[in-house]
Amino acid sequence: NAGVMQNPRHLVRRRGQEARLRCSPMKGHSHVYWYRQLPEEGLKFMVYLQKENIIDESGMPKERFSAEFPKEGPSILRIQQVVRGDSAAYFCASSPGTNSYNEQFFGPGTRLTVL
Amino acid sequence: KNQVEQSPQSLIILEGKNCTLQCNYTVSPFSNLRWYKQDTGRGPVSLTIMTFSENTKSNGRYTATLDADTKQSSLHITASQLSDSASYICVVSAIGYSTLTFGKGTMLLVSP
């Protein structure tokens, strides 16, 4: 049973370009969470999705950021018109259910660098 | 507002020694507290999860304690190994909420 997969592992973009980060949850998991980790900071919640639905996006910046988890395929975190402040590690986690006790399993992260 | 404060920020110990990391939290209503280990360049990996009714939980050389009255938790590492060098993150969750609140972590370096 493969763990949570994220790709790419490293992504370099110039200011103004778009960044697409992909997350494939563990087999059997239908809940996906995205977190951002800035240098020297703790992980910050961004968005929680189930298949085809956004459940909680209270941590998402209001502009330029969007997320989806289609019926088929990986979850996508999309950042439009990237700025230097978007440089961070973006982690995806998945869980099998909605009980807050449920373990969240993390992927290896995507490190985004904006030049 | 849910908050997690960890101390120390960083710690260096000699291989084979023990150490204890601290976590103070504010969360309402409390659901559970987790300790994660995050190796450099990797995602966090869960070490322990404790609910309100649990005051200690072990995972090998890792032992976590929880005092729900004082809202404090500790992670004790016994007989440290070089592979224990990592960031240790305290995480809390609230009942009815799917999101987690993360501390900034304690960076532990185990020196030979």
Side-chain angles (χ1 to χ4, degrees):
Chain A
N1 186 9
V4 178
M5 310 284 283
Q6 288 188 249
N7 68 80
R9 293 293 309 277
H10 300 274
L11 182 62
V12 179
R13 285 287 178 267
R14 296 190 181 281
R15 280 179 296 170
Q17 291 183 320
E18 178 180 287
R20 282 185 180 240
L21 288 61
R22 295 175 184 77
C23 169
S24 296
M26 288 181 70
K27 187 177 181 181
H29 288 190
S30 58
H31 300 254
V32 166
Y33 310 79
W34 284 94
Y35 296 87
R36 177 165 63 175
Q37 186 173 33
L38 294 169
E40 310 300 323
E41 294 290 324
L43 277 76
K44 294 286 196 297
F45 167 78
M46 298 182 74
V47 62
Y48 162 39
L49 311 103
Q50 295 179 33
K51 285 285 187 181
E52 301 185 279
N53 288 303
I54 295 175
I55 306 302
D56 182 350
E57 56 181 348
S58 58
M60 285 278 271
K62 293 288 186 281
E63 298 175 348
R64 302 187 298 107
F65 285 72
S66 62
E68 63 176 7
F69 189 15
K71 186 176 181 181
E72 300 292 336
S75 175
I76 306 286
L77 179 67
R78 182 183 178 203
I79 311 173
Q80 295 178 290
Q81 299 174 346
V82 296
V83 300
R84 288 216 173 111
D86 296 333
S87 294
Y90 292 83
F91 290 95
C92 165
S94 72
S95 73
T98 57
N99 186 326
S100 64
Y101 190 84
N102 277 347
E103 185 73 58
Q104 287 188 21
F105 295 86
F106 285 81
T110 293
R111 275 141 192 87
L112 172 66
T113 301
V114 179
L115 301 178
Chain B
K1 180 181 178 182
N2 298 339
Q3 287 186 315
V4 177
E5 298 289 336
Q6 292 188 244
S7 63
Q9 189 174 10
S10 62
L11 182 63
I12 301 175
I13 61 173
L14 290 175
E15 186 179 10
K17 297 296 186 183
N18 304 336
C19 67
T20 300
L21 314 180
Q22 302 292 343
C23 172
N24 296 331
Y25 64 89
T26 303
V27 64
S28 182
F30 177 82
S31 175
N32 59 75
L33 183 145
R34 310 155 190 235
W35 282 93
Y36 281 88
K37 177 186 179 187
Q38 185 176 20
D39 292 309
T40 300
R42 302 209 172 193
V45 174
S46 179
L47 295 175
T48 63
I49 300 178
M50 289 183 291
T51 61
F52 181 86
S53 59
E54 298 172 297
N55 55 25
T56 186
K57 184 166 279 190
S58 292
N59 178 1
R61 295 179 296 101
Y62 301 103
T63 300
T65 65
L66 174 65
D67 186 333
D69 291 330
T70 61
K71 296 183 172 54
Q72 294 180 326
S73 176
S74 65
L75 180 69
H76 186 74
I77 303 175
T78 306
S80 61
Q81 301 175 358
L82 297 179
S83 59
D84 292 333
S85 296
S87 178
Y88 290 84
I89 306 172
C90 177
V91 183
V92 296
S93 67
I95 294 173
Y97 294 88
S98 55
T99 61
L100 304 177
T101 302
F102 289 74
K104 291 185 178 182
T106 291
M107 181 63 68
L108 174 66
L109 176 63
V110 179
S111 175

